[in-house]
PDB file of all heavy atoms in Angstrom:
ATOM      1  N   ASN A  20      12.245  13.897  12.776  1.00 81.00           N
ATOM      2  CA  ASN A  20      13.531  13.821  13.473  1.00 81.00           C
ATOM      3  C   ASN A  20      13.207  13.660  14.953  1.00 81.00           C
ATOM      4  O   ASN A  20      12.822  14.621  15.627  1.00 81.00           O
ATOM      5  CB  ASN A  20      14.328  15.100  13.217  1.00 81.00           C
ATOM      6  CG  ASN A  20      15.629  15.142  14.012  1.00 81.00           C
ATOM      7  OD1 ASN A  20      15.921  14.257  14.806  1.00 81.00           O
ATOM      8  ND2 ASN A  20      16.407  16.185  13.803  1.00 81.00           N
ATOM      9  N   LYS A  21      13.339  12.453  15.466  1.00 77.00           N
ATOM     10  CA  LYS A  21      12.868  12.140  16.817  1.00 77.00           C
ATOM     11  C   LYS A  21      13.716  12.750  17.935  1.00 77.00           C
ATOM     12  O   LYS A  21      13.286  12.815  19.071  1.00 77.00           O
ATOM     13  CB  LYS A  21      12.812  10.608  16.997  1.00 77.00           C
ATOM     14  CG  LYS A  21      11.628   9.928  16.339  1.00 77.00           C
ATOM     15  CD  LYS A  21      10.342  10.253  17.064  1.00 77.00           C
ATOM     16  CE  LYS A  21       9.178   9.420  16.613  1.00 77.00           C
ATOM     17  NZ  LYS A  21       9.075   8.087  17.131  1.00 77.00           N
ATOM     18  N   ARG A  22      14.965  13.154  17.621  1.00 80.00           N
ATOM     19  CA  ARG A  22      15.851  13.701  18.658  1.00 80.00           C
ATOM     20  C   ARG A  22      15.888  12.763  19.869  1.00 80.00           C
ATOM     21  O   ARG A  22      15.476  13.123  20.980  1.00 80.00           O
ATOM     22  CB  ARG A  22      15.386  15.105  19.077  1.00 80.00           C
ATOM     23  CG  ARG A  22      15.470  16.138  17.954  1.00 80.00           C
ATOM     24  CD  ARG A  22      14.782  17.445  18.351  1.00 80.00           C
ATOM     25  NE  ARG A  22      15.017  18.520  17.410  1.00 80.00           N
ATOM     26  CZ  ARG A  22      14.323  18.682  16.270  1.00 80.00           C
ATOM     27  NH1 ARG A  22      13.349  17.821  15.962  1.00 80.00           N
ATOM     28  NH2 ARG A  22      14.595  19.667  15.456  1.00 80.00           N
ATOM     29  N   GLU A  23      16.379  11.565  19.638  1.00 74.00           N
ATOM     30  CA  GLU A  23      16.323  10.500  20.642  1.00 74.00           C
ATOM     31  C   GLU A  23      17.057  10.838  21.932  1.00 74.00           C
ATOM     32  O   GLU A  23      16.851  10.189  22.958  1.00 74.00           O
ATOM     33  CB  GLU A  23      16.875   9.200  20.053  1.00 74.00           C
ATOM     34  CG  GLU A  23      16.090   8.660  18.862  1.00 74.00           C
ATOM     35  CD  GLU A  23      14.709   8.135  19.237  1.00 74.00           C
ATOM     36  OE1 GLU A  23      14.374   8.111  20.436  1.00 74.00           O
ATOM     37  OE2 GLU A  23      13.946   7.764  18.326  1.00 74.00           O
ATOM     38  N   ASP A  24      17.912  11.855  21.894  1.00 75.00           N
ATOM     39  CA  ASP A  24      18.663  12.225  23.101  1.00 75.00           C
ATOM     40  C   ASP A  24      17.850  13.097  24.059  1.00 75.00           C
ATOM     41  O   ASP A  24      18.316  13.431  25.148  1.00 75.00           O
ATOM     42  CB  ASP A  24      19.947  12.964  22.712  1.00 75.00           C
ATOM     43  CG  ASP A  24      19.679  14.222  21.883  1.00 75.00           C
ATOM     44  OD1 ASP A  24      18.719  14.199  21.081  1.00 75.00           O
ATOM     45  OD2 ASP A  24      20.425  15.204  22.057  1.00 75.00           O
ATOM     46  N   ARG A  25      16.619  13.450  23.648  1.00 84.00           N
ATOM     47  CA  ARG A  25      15.773  14.298  24.491  1.00 84.00           C
ATOM     48  C   ARG A  25      14.419  13.643  24.708  1.00 84.00           C
ATOM     49  O   ARG A  25      13.966  12.847  23.875  1.00 84.00           O
ATOM     50  CB  ARG A  25      15.594  15.671  23.836  1.00 84.00           C
ATOM     51  CG  ARG A  25      16.885  16.461  23.691  1.00 84.00           C
ATOM     52  CD  ARG A  25      16.726  17.669  22.786  1.00 84.00           C
ATOM     53  NE  ARG A  25      15.783  18.650  23.313  1.00 84.00           N
ATOM     54  CZ  ARG A  25      15.425  19.747  22.623  1.00 84.00           C
ATOM     55  NH1 ARG A  25      15.911  19.974  21.428  1.00 84.00           N
ATOM     56  NH2 ARG A  25      14.562  20.596  23.163  1.00 84.00           N
ATOM     57  N   PRO A  26      13.740  13.947  25.817  1.00 83.00           N
ATOM     58  CA  PRO A  26      12.409  13.360  26.060  1.00 83.00           C
ATOM     59  C   PRO A  26      11.439  13.708  24.940  1.00 83.00           C
ATOM     60  O   PRO A  26      11.423  14.842  24.444  1.00 83.00           O
ATOM     61  CB  PRO A  26      11.989  13.999  27.388  1.00 83.00           C
ATOM     62  CG  PRO A  26      13.259  14.441  28.033  1.00 83.00           C
ATOM     63  CD  PRO A  26      14.182  14.819  26.918  1.00 83.00           C
ATOM     64  N   LYS A  27      10.602  12.753  24.542  1.00 78.00           N
ATOM     65  CA  LYS A  27       9.666  12.978  23.434  1.00 78.00           C
ATOM     66  C   LYS A  27       8.678  14.093  23.724  1.00 78.00           C
ATOM     67  O   LYS A  27       8.304  14.856  22.830  1.00 78.00           O
ATOM     68  CB  LYS A  27       8.928  11.673  23.127  1.00 78.00           C
ATOM     69  CG  LYS A  27       9.810  10.614  22.495  1.00 78.00           C
ATOM     70  CD  LYS A  27       9.022   9.348  22.195  1.00 78.00           C
ATOM     71  CE  LYS A  27       9.916   8.301  21.558  1.00 78.00           C
ATOM     72  NZ  LYS A  27       9.197   7.041  21.266  1.00 78.00           N
ATOM     73  N   SER A  28       8.251  14.196  24.981  1.00 80.00           N
ATOM     74  CA  SER A  28       7.297  15.252  25.326  1.00 80.00           C
ATOM     75  C   SER A  28       7.923  16.638  25.167  1.00 80.00           C
ATOM     76  O   SER A  28       7.242  17.609  24.841  1.00 80.00           O
ATOM     77  CB  SER A  28       6.792  15.064  26.760  1.00 80.00           C
ATOM     78  OG  SER A  28       7.880  15.081  27.673  1.00 80.00           O
ATOM     79  N   GLU A  29       9.233  16.715  25.373  1.00 88.00           N
ATOM     80  CA  GLU A  29       9.946  17.988  25.279  1.00 88.00           C
ATOM     81  C   GLU A  29      10.097  18.442  23.827  1.00 88.00           C
ATOM     82  O   GLU A  29      10.100  19.642  23.540  1.00 88.00           O
ATOM     83  CB  GLU A  29      11.329  17.825  25.919  1.00 88.00           C
ATOM     84  CG  GLU A  29      12.173  19.083  25.951  1.00 88.00           C
ATOM     85  CD  GLU A  29      13.534  18.803  26.559  1.00 88.00           C
ATOM     86  OE1 GLU A  29      13.574  18.370  27.725  1.00 88.00           O
ATOM     87  OE2 GLU A  29      14.554  19.006  25.873  1.00 88.00           O
ATOM     88  N   THR A  30      10.211  17.490  22.897  1.00 91.00           N
ATOM     89  CA  THR A  30      10.441  17.838  21.487  1.00 91.00           C
ATOM     90  C   THR A  30       9.176  17.742  20.643  1.00 91.00           C
ATOM     91  O   THR A  30       9.217  17.996  19.439  1.00 91.00           O
ATOM     92  CB  THR A  30      11.502  16.903  20.878  1.00 91.00           C
ATOM     93  OG1 THR A  30      10.997  15.547  20.871  1.00 91.00           O
ATOM     94  CG2 THR A  30      12.798  16.958  21.658  1.00 91.00           C
ATOM     95  N   TRP A  31       8.054  17.389  21.246  1.00 93.00           N
ATOM     96  CA  TRP A  31       6.826  17.125  20.485  1.00 93.00           C
ATOM     97  C   TRP A  31       6.457  18.296  19.581  1.00 93.00           C
ATOM     98  O   TRP A  31       6.261  18.124  18.373  1.00 93.00           O
ATOM     99  CB  TRP A  31       5.683  16.826  21.459  1.00 93.00           C
ATOM    100  CG  TRP A  31       4.386  16.471  20.787  1.00 93.00           C
ATOM    101  CD1 TRP A  31       3.965  15.226  20.412  1.00 93.00           C
ATOM    102  CD2 TRP A  31       3.335  17.376  20.406  1.00 93.00           C
ATOM    103  NE1 TRP A  31       2.722  15.289  19.827  1.00 93.00           N
ATOM    104  CE2 TRP A  31       2.314  16.601  19.804  1.00 93.00           C
ATOM    105  CE3 TRP A  31       3.153  18.748  20.508  1.00 93.00           C
ATOM    106  CZ2 TRP A  31       1.139  17.154  19.314  1.00 93.00           C
ATOM    107  CZ3 TRP A  31       1.981  19.312  20.014  1.00 93.00           C
ATOM    108  CH2 TRP A  31       0.993  18.516  19.428  1.00 93.00           C
ATOM    109  N   LYS A  32       6.371  19.502  20.131  1.00 94.00           N
ATOM    110  CA  LYS A  32       5.899  20.635  19.326  1.00 94.00           C
ATOM    111  C   LYS A  32       6.908  21.002  18.248  1.00 94.00           C
ATOM    112  O   LYS A  32       6.524  21.351  17.118  1.00 94.00           O
ATOM    113  CB  LYS A  32       5.587  21.843  20.202  1.00 94.00           C
ATOM    114  CG  LYS A  32       4.854  22.939  19.415  1.00 94.00           C
ATOM    115  CD  LYS A  32       4.027  23.831  20.313  1.00 94.00           C
ATOM    116  CE  LYS A  32       3.150  24.762  19.497  1.00 94.00           C
ATOM    117  NZ  LYS A  32       2.211  25.540  20.331  1.00 94.00           N
ATOM    118  N   ILE A  33       8.180  20.922  18.560  1.00 94.00           N
ATOM    119  CA  ILE A  33       9.218  21.202  17.564  1.00 94.00           C
ATOM    120  C   ILE A  33       9.063  20.260  16.377  1.00 94.00           C
ATOM    121  O   ILE A  33       9.091  20.684  15.215  1.00 94.00           O
ATOM    122  CB  ILE A  33      10.628  21.037  18.177  1.00 94.00           C
ATOM    123  CG1 ILE A  33      10.858  22.051  19.292  1.00 94.00           C
ATOM    124  CG2 ILE A  33      11.700  21.168  17.094  1.00 94.00           C
ATOM    125  CD1 ILE A  33      12.124  21.800  20.089  1.00 94.00           C
ATOM    126  N   ARG A  34       8.889  18.978  16.670  1.00 94.00           N
ATOM    127  CA  ARG A  34       8.756  17.977  15.607  1.00 94.00           C
ATOM    128  C   ARG A  34       7.512  18.212  14.764  1.00 94.00           C
ATOM    129  O   ARG A  34       7.540  18.104  13.534  1.00 94.00           O
ATOM    130  CB  ARG A  34       8.742  16.573  16.216  1.00 94.00           C
ATOM    131  CG  ARG A  34      10.079  16.153  16.802  1.00 94.00           C
ATOM    132  CD  ARG A  34      10.092  14.733  17.335  1.00 94.00           C
ATOM    133  NE  ARG A  34       9.464  14.601  18.642  1.00 94.00           N
ATOM    134  CZ  ARG A  34       8.334  13.955  18.887  1.00 94.00           C
ATOM    135  NH1 ARG A  34       7.654  13.398  17.899  1.00 94.00           N
ATOM    136  NH2 ARG A  34       7.861  13.863  20.111  1.00 94.00           N
ATOM    137  N   LYS A  35       6.424  18.546  15.403  1.00 96.00           N
ATOM    138  CA  LYS A  35       5.174  18.785  14.675  1.00 96.00           C
ATOM    139  C   LYS A  35       5.287  20.044  13.807  1.00 96.00           C
ATOM    140  O   LYS A  35       4.808  20.058  12.662  1.00 96.00           O
ATOM    141  CB  LYS A  35       3.997  18.906  15.642  1.00 96.00           C
ATOM    142  CG  LYS A  35       3.788  17.692  16.536  1.00 96.00           C
ATOM    143  CD  LYS A  35       3.751  16.392  15.756  1.00 96.00           C
ATOM    144  CE  LYS A  35       3.608  15.192  16.669  1.00 96.00           C
ATOM    145  NZ  LYS A  35       3.787  13.907  15.961  1.00 96.00           N
ATOM    146  N   GLN A  36       5.902  21.080  14.347  1.00 96.00           N
ATOM    147  CA  GLN A  36       6.080  22.305  13.565  1.00 96.00           C
ATOM    148  C   GLN A  36       6.948  22.056  12.344  1.00 96.00           C
ATOM    149  O   GLN A  36       6.676  22.573  11.251  1.00 96.00           O
ATOM    150  CB  GLN A  36       6.695  23.405  14.443  1.00 96.00           C
ATOM    151  CG  GLN A  36       5.723  23.968  15.467  1.00 96.00           C
ATOM    152  CD  GLN A  36       6.378  24.926  16.445  1.00 96.00           C
ATOM    153  OE1 GLN A  36       7.547  24.754  16.817  1.00 96.00           O
ATOM    154  NE2 GLN A  36       5.642  25.939  16.865  1.00 96.00           N
ATOM    155  N   GLU A  37       7.983  21.263  12.502  1.00 94.00           N
ATOM    156  CA  GLU A  37       8.851  20.926  11.372  1.00 94.00           C
ATOM    157  C   GLU A  37       8.079  20.186  10.285  1.00 94.00           C
ATOM    158  O   GLU A  37       8.234  20.470   9.090  1.00 94.00           O
ATOM    159  CB  GLU A  37      10.035  20.075  11.851  1.00 94.00           C
ATOM    160  CG  GLU A  37      11.063  20.852  12.645  1.00 94.00           C
ATOM    161  CD  GLU A  37      12.155  19.979  13.231  1.00 94.00           C
ATOM    162  OE1 GLU A  37      11.986  18.731  13.264  1.00 94.00           O
ATOM    163  OE2 GLU A  37      13.179  20.523  13.666  1.00 94.00           O
ATOM    164  N   GLN A  38       7.251  19.218  10.687  1.00 95.00           N
ATOM    165  CA  GLN A  38       6.470  18.459   9.712  1.00 95.00           C
ATOM    166  C   GLN A  38       5.481  19.349   8.970  1.00 95.00           C
ATOM    167  O   GLN A  38       5.317  19.241   7.754  1.00 95.00           O
ATOM    168  CB  GLN A  38       5.710  17.315  10.409  1.00 95.00           C
ATOM    169  CG  GLN A  38       6.577  16.157  10.851  1.00 95.00           C
ATOM    170  CD  GLN A  38       7.281  15.495   9.675  1.00 95.00           C
ATOM    171  OE1 GLN A  38       8.479  15.682   9.489  1.00 95.00           O
ATOM    172  NE2 GLN A  38       6.563  14.742   8.876  1.00 95.00           N
ATOM    173  N   LEU A  39       4.824  20.212   9.704  1.00 97.00           N
ATOM    174  CA  LEU A  39       3.864  21.121   9.076  1.00 97.00           C
ATOM    175  C   LEU A  39       4.553  22.049   8.086  1.00 97.00           C
ATOM    176  O   LEU A  39       4.061  22.281   6.979  1.00 97.00           O
ATOM    177  CB  LEU A  39       3.148  21.943  10.153  1.00 97.00           C
ATOM    178  CG  LEU A  39       2.188  21.178  11.062  1.00 97.00           C
ATOM    179  CD1 LEU A  39       1.825  22.026  12.278  1.00 97.00           C
ATOM    180  CD2 LEU A  39       0.929  20.764  10.312  1.00 97.00           C
ATOM    181  N   GLU A  40       5.703  22.574   8.486  1.00 96.00           N
ATOM    182  CA  GLU A  40       6.413  23.529   7.632  1.00 96.00           C
ATOM    183  C   GLU A  40       6.881  22.887   6.335  1.00 96.00           C
ATOM    184  O   GLU A  40       6.735  23.467   5.257  1.00 96.00           O
ATOM    185  CB  GLU A  40       7.609  24.114   8.403  1.00 96.00           C
ATOM    186  CG  GLU A  40       8.325  25.257   7.703  1.00 96.00           C
ATOM    187  CD  GLU A  40       7.428  26.460   7.429  1.00 96.00           C
ATOM    188  OE1 GLU A  40       6.527  26.720   8.251  1.00 96.00           O
ATOM    189  OE2 GLU A  40       7.636  27.134   6.401  1.00 96.00           O
ATOM    190  N   LYS A  41       7.424  21.683   6.420  1.00 94.00           N
ATOM    191  CA  LYS A  41       7.948  21.070   5.196  1.00 94.00           C
ATOM    192  C   LYS A  41       6.842  20.488   4.309  1.00 94.00           C
ATOM    193  O   LYS A  41       7.067  20.242   3.128  1.00 94.00           O
ATOM    194  CB  LYS A  41       9.004  20.009   5.514  1.00 94.00           C
ATOM    195  CG  LYS A  41       8.526  18.728   6.150  1.00 94.00           C
ATOM    196  CD  LYS A  41       9.721  17.798   6.360  1.00 94.00           C
ATOM    197  CE  LYS A  41       9.321  16.463   6.960  1.00 94.00           C
ATOM    198  NZ  LYS A  41      10.468  15.553   7.126  1.00 94.00           N
ATOM    199  N   THR A  42       5.634  20.308   4.864  1.00 96.00           N
ATOM    200  CA  THR A  42       4.525  19.779   4.067  1.00 96.00           C
ATOM    201  C   THR A  42       3.710  20.898   3.429  1.00 96.00           C
ATOM    202  O   THR A  42       3.043  20.691   2.419  1.00 96.00           O
ATOM    203  CB  THR A  42       3.606  18.897   4.942  1.00 96.00           C
ATOM    204  OG1 THR A  42       4.402  17.876   5.553  1.00 96.00           O
ATOM    205  CG2 THR A  42       2.518  18.229   4.122  1.00 96.00           C
ATOM    206  N   LYS A  43       3.807  22.096   3.968  1.00 95.00           N
ATOM    207  CA  LYS A  43       2.989  23.234   3.523  1.00 95.00           C
ATOM    208  C   LYS A  43       3.061  23.440   2.009  1.00 95.00           C
ATOM    209  O   LYS A  43       2.030  23.626   1.350  1.00 95.00           O
ATOM    210  CB  LYS A  43       3.438  24.492   4.271  1.00 95.00           C
ATOM    211  CG  LYS A  43       2.647  25.736   3.927  1.00 95.00           C
ATOM    212  CD  LYS A  43       3.085  26.899   4.811  1.00 95.00           C
ATOM    213  CE  LYS A  43       4.554  27.230   4.619  1.00 95.00           C
ATOM    214  NZ  LYS A  43       4.961  28.435   5.397  1.00 95.00           N
ATOM    215  N   ASP A  44       4.259  23.380   1.454  1.00 94.00           N
ATOM    216  CA  ASP A  44       4.441  23.630   0.021  1.00 94.00           C
ATOM    217  C   ASP A  44       4.802  22.354  -0.739  1.00 94.00           C
ATOM    218  O   ASP A  44       5.326  22.427  -1.855  1.00 94.00           O
ATOM    219  CB  ASP A  44       5.525  24.691  -0.193  1.00 94.00           C
ATOM    220  CG  ASP A  44       5.144  26.034   0.418  1.00 94.00           C
ATOM    221  OD1 ASP A  44       3.974  26.436   0.263  1.00 94.00           O
ATOM    222  OD2 ASP A  44       6.006  26.665   1.060  1.00 94.00           O
ATOM    223  N   ALA A  45       4.516  21.217  -0.150  1.00 96.00           N
ATOM    224  CA  ALA A  45       4.858  19.934  -0.773  1.00 96.00           C
ATOM    225  C   ALA A  45       3.816  19.536  -1.819  1.00 96.00           C
ATOM    226  O   ALA A  45       2.783  20.192  -1.977  1.00 96.00           O
ATOM    227  CB  ALA A  45       4.984  18.852   0.296  1.00 96.00           C
ATOM    228  N   SER A  46       4.082  18.443  -2.501  1.00 97.00           N
ATOM    229  CA  SER A  46       3.191  17.967  -3.554  1.00 97.00           C
ATOM    230  C   SER A  46       1.890  17.407  -2.983  1.00 97.00           C
ATOM    231  O   SER A  46       1.801  17.093  -1.788  1.00 97.00           O
ATOM    232  CB  SER A  46       3.888  16.867  -4.367  1.00 97.00           C
ATOM    233  OG  SER A  46       4.053  15.703  -3.565  1.00 97.00           O
ATOM    234  N   ARG A  47       0.923  17.253  -3.847  1.00 97.00           N
ATOM    235  CA  ARG A  47      -0.354  16.649  -3.455  1.00 97.00           C
ATOM    236  C   ARG A  47      -0.136  15.230  -2.923  1.00 97.00           C
ATOM    237  O   ARG A  47      -0.792  14.815  -1.967  1.00 97.00           O
ATOM    238  CB  ARG A  47      -1.314  16.636  -4.651  1.00 97.00           C
ATOM    239  CG  ARG A  47      -2.713  16.126  -4.310  1.00 97.00           C
ATOM    240  CD  ARG A  47      -3.622  16.148  -5.528  1.00 97.00           C
ATOM    241  NE  ARG A  47      -4.950  15.616  -5.234  1.00 97.00           N
ATOM    242  CZ  ARG A  47      -5.988  16.336  -4.875  1.00 97.00           C
ATOM    243  NH1 ARG A  47      -5.858  17.650  -4.763  1.00 97.00           N
ATOM    244  NH2 ARG A  47      -7.168  15.772  -4.640  1.00 97.00           N
ATOM    245  N   SER A  48       0.791  14.502  -3.523  1.00 97.00           N
ATOM    246  CA  SER A  48       1.053  13.125  -3.079  1.00 97.00           C
ATOM    247  C   SER A  48       1.533  13.093  -1.638  1.00 97.00           C
ATOM    248  O   SER A  48       1.089  12.258  -0.843  1.00 97.00           O
ATOM    249  CB  SER A  48       2.087  12.460  -3.998  1.00 97.00           C
ATOM    250  OG  SER A  48       1.574  12.296  -5.296  1.00 97.00           O
ATOM    251  N   VAL A  49       2.441  13.994  -1.294  1.00 97.00           N
ATOM    252  CA  VAL A  49       2.930  14.080   0.085  1.00 97.00           C
ATOM    253  C   VAL A  49       1.780  14.405   1.029  1.00 97.00           C
ATOM    254  O   VAL A  49       1.650  13.811   2.115  1.00 97.00           O
ATOM    255  CB  VAL A  49       4.035  15.152   0.197  1.00 97.00           C
ATOM    256  CG1 VAL A  49       4.327  15.493   1.659  1.00 97.00           C
ATOM    257  CG2 VAL A  49       5.308  14.683  -0.495  1.00 97.00           C
ATOM    258  N   LYS A  50       0.927  15.321   0.619  1.00 98.00           N
ATOM    259  CA  LYS A  50      -0.200  15.715   1.470  1.00 98.00           C
ATOM    260  C   LYS A  50      -1.219  14.581   1.612  1.00 98.00           C
ATOM    261  O   LYS A  50      -1.855  14.447   2.660  1.00 98.00           O
ATOM    262  CB  LYS A  50      -0.848  16.984   0.910  1.00 98.00           C
ATOM    263  CG  LYS A  50       0.063  18.196   1.043  1.00 98.00           C
ATOM    264  CD  LYS A  50      -0.554  19.457   0.468  1.00 98.00           C
ATOM    265  CE  LYS A  50       0.407  20.634   0.618  1.00 98.00           C
ATOM    266  NZ  LYS A  50      -0.137  21.881   0.070  1.00 98.00           N
ATOM    267  N   CYS A  51      -1.362  13.761   0.582  1.00 98.00           N
ATOM    268  CA  CYS A  51      -2.253  12.597   0.684  1.00 98.00           C
ATOM    269  C   CYS A  51      -1.784  11.653   1.790  1.00 98.00           C
ATOM    270  O   CYS A  51      -2.600  11.137   2.572  1.00 98.00           O
ATOM    271  CB  CYS A  51      -2.302  11.842  -0.643  1.00 98.00           C
ATOM    272  SG  CYS A  51      -3.340  12.602  -1.909  1.00 98.00           S
ATOM    273  N   ILE A  52      -0.474  11.433   1.857  1.00 98.00           N
ATOM    274  CA  ILE A  52       0.058  10.531   2.896  1.00 98.00           C
ATOM    275  C   ILE A  52      -0.142  11.147   4.276  1.00 98.00           C
ATOM    276  O   ILE A  52      -0.561  10.469   5.218  1.00 98.00           O
ATOM    277  CB  ILE A  52       1.538  10.205   2.636  1.00 98.00           C
ATOM    278  CG1 ILE A  52       1.697   9.466   1.301  1.00 98.00           C
ATOM    279  CG2 ILE A  52       2.102   9.349   3.782  1.00 98.00           C
ATOM    280  CD1 ILE A  52       3.141   9.226   0.888  1.00 98.00           C
ATOM    281  N   MET A  53       0.126  12.445   4.406  1.00 98.00           N
ATOM    282  CA  MET A  53      -0.073  13.092   5.710  1.00 98.00           C
ATOM    283  C   MET A  53      -1.528  13.021   6.136  1.00 98.00           C
ATOM    284  O   MET A  53      -1.829  12.666   7.292  1.00 98.00           O
ATOM    285  CB  MET A  53       0.388  14.553   5.684  1.00 98.00           C
ATOM    286  CG  MET A  53       0.060  15.299   6.980  1.00 98.00           C
ATOM    287  SD  MET A  53       0.604  17.015   7.012  1.00 98.00           S
ATOM    288  CE  MET A  53       1.985  16.887   8.151  1.00 98.00           C
ATOM    289  N   LEU A  54      -2.444  13.354   5.242  1.00 98.00           N
ATOM    290  CA  LEU A  54      -3.863  13.332   5.592  1.00 98.00           C
ATOM    291  C   LEU A  54      -4.299  11.926   5.983  1.00 98.00           C
ATOM    292  O   LEU A  54      -5.000  11.747   6.998  1.00 98.00           O
ATOM    293  CB  LEU A  54      -4.700  13.838   4.421  1.00 98.00           C
ATOM    294  CG  LEU A  54      -6.226  13.700   4.574  1.00 98.00           C
ATOM    295  CD1 LEU A  54      -6.724  14.439   5.809  1.00 98.00           C
ATOM    296  CD2 LEU A  54      -6.938  14.207   3.319  1.00 98.00           C
ATOM    297  N   ALA A  55      -3.897  10.935   5.217  1.00 98.00           N
ATOM    298  CA  ALA A  55      -4.291   9.556   5.516  1.00 98.00           C
ATOM    299  C   ALA A  55      -3.746   9.105   6.866  1.00 98.00           C
ATOM    300  O   ALA A  55      -4.445   8.452   7.649  1.00 98.00           O
ATOM    301  CB  ALA A  55      -3.796   8.624   4.408  1.00 98.00           C
ATOM    302  N   ASP A  56      -2.510   9.458   7.144  1.00 98.00           N
ATOM    303  CA  ASP A  56      -1.879   9.120   8.426  1.00 98.00           C
ATOM    304  C   ASP A  56      -2.658   9.737   9.586  1.00 98.00           C
ATOM    305  O   ASP A  56      -3.002   9.061  10.569  1.00 98.00           O
ATOM    306  CB  ASP A  56      -0.436   9.633   8.398  1.00 98.00           C
ATOM    307  CG  ASP A  56       0.313   9.409   9.696  1.00 98.00           C
ATOM    308  OD1 ASP A  56      -0.048   8.493  10.458  1.00 98.00           O
ATOM    309  OD2 ASP A  56       1.291  10.156   9.946  1.00 98.00           O
ATOM    310  N   LYS A  57      -2.981  11.007   9.469  1.00 98.00           N
ATOM    311  CA  LYS A  57      -3.675  11.693  10.564  1.00 98.00           C
ATOM    312  C   LYS A  57      -5.143  11.260  10.666  1.00 98.00           C
ATOM    313  O   LYS A  57      -5.694  11.194  11.771  1.00 98.00           O
ATOM    314  CB  LYS A  57      -3.592  13.212  10.403  1.00 98.00           C
ATOM    315  CG  LYS A  57      -2.173  13.750  10.284  1.00 98.00           C
ATOM    316  CD  LYS A  57      -1.201  13.110  11.270  1.00 98.00           C
ATOM    317  CE  LYS A  57       0.217  13.554  10.976  1.00 98.00           C
ATOM    318  NZ  LYS A  57       1.223  12.695  11.661  1.00 98.00           N
ATOM    319  N   LEU A  58      -5.763  10.945   9.542  1.00 98.00           N
ATOM    320  CA  LEU A  58      -7.133  10.434   9.604  1.00 98.00           C
ATOM    321  C   LEU A  58      -7.165   9.091  10.313  1.00 98.00           C
ATOM    322  O   LEU A  58      -8.055   8.838  11.145  1.00 98.00           O
ATOM    323  CB  LEU A  58      -7.720  10.312   8.197  1.00 98.00           C
ATOM    324  CG  LEU A  58      -9.110   9.659   8.090  1.00 98.00           C
ATOM    325  CD1 LEU A  58     -10.125  10.334   8.999  1.00 98.00           C
ATOM    326  CD2 LEU A  58      -9.592   9.684   6.635  1.00 98.00           C
ATOM    327  N   SER A  59      -6.204   8.231  10.011  1.00 97.00           N
ATOM    328  CA  SER A  59      -6.124   6.947  10.715  1.00 97.00           C
ATOM    329  C   SER A  59      -5.963   7.169  12.218  1.00 97.00           C
ATOM    330  O   SER A  59      -6.625   6.517  13.035  1.00 97.00           O
ATOM    331  CB  SER A  59      -4.956   6.120  10.167  1.00 97.00           C
ATOM    332  OG  SER A  59      -4.787   4.931  10.907  1.00 97.00           O
ATOM    333  N   ASN A  60      -5.087   8.110  12.584  1.00 96.00           N
ATOM    334  CA  ASN A  60      -4.905   8.430  14.009  1.00 96.00           C
ATOM    335  C   ASN A  60      -6.194   8.935  14.639  1.00 96.00           C
ATOM    336  O   ASN A  60      -6.558   8.541  15.762  1.00 96.00           O
ATOM    337  CB  ASN A  60      -3.820   9.494  14.175  1.00 96.00           C
ATOM    338  CG  ASN A  60      -2.425   8.954  13.941  1.00 96.00           C
ATOM    339  OD1 ASN A  60      -2.206   7.748  13.948  1.00 96.00           O
ATOM    340  ND2 ASN A  60      -1.480   9.847  13.707  1.00 96.00           N
ATOM    341  N   MET A  61      -6.889   9.827  13.938  1.00 97.00           N
ATOM    342  CA  MET A  61      -8.098  10.409  14.506  1.00 97.00           C
ATOM    343  C   MET A  61      -9.248   9.412  14.553  1.00 97.00           C
ATOM    344  O   MET A  61     -10.105   9.500  15.438  1.00 97.00           O
ATOM    345  CB  MET A  61      -8.499  11.661  13.740  1.00 97.00           C
ATOM    346  CG  MET A  61      -7.582  12.858  13.985  1.00 97.00           C
ATOM    347  SD  MET A  61      -7.302  13.230  15.750  1.00 97.00           S
ATOM    348  CE  MET A  61      -8.967  13.589  16.307  1.00 97.00           C
TER     349      MET A  61
END
């Protein structure tokens, strides 16, 4: 949820915390996409 009405730097941690929280108990398939996305970034 990008919250386009606010600066991205201001909402960065909120957005990351939300993603982590909803992925914590998600399926292996969801976690595969997250890991692949972050590995590509890294």
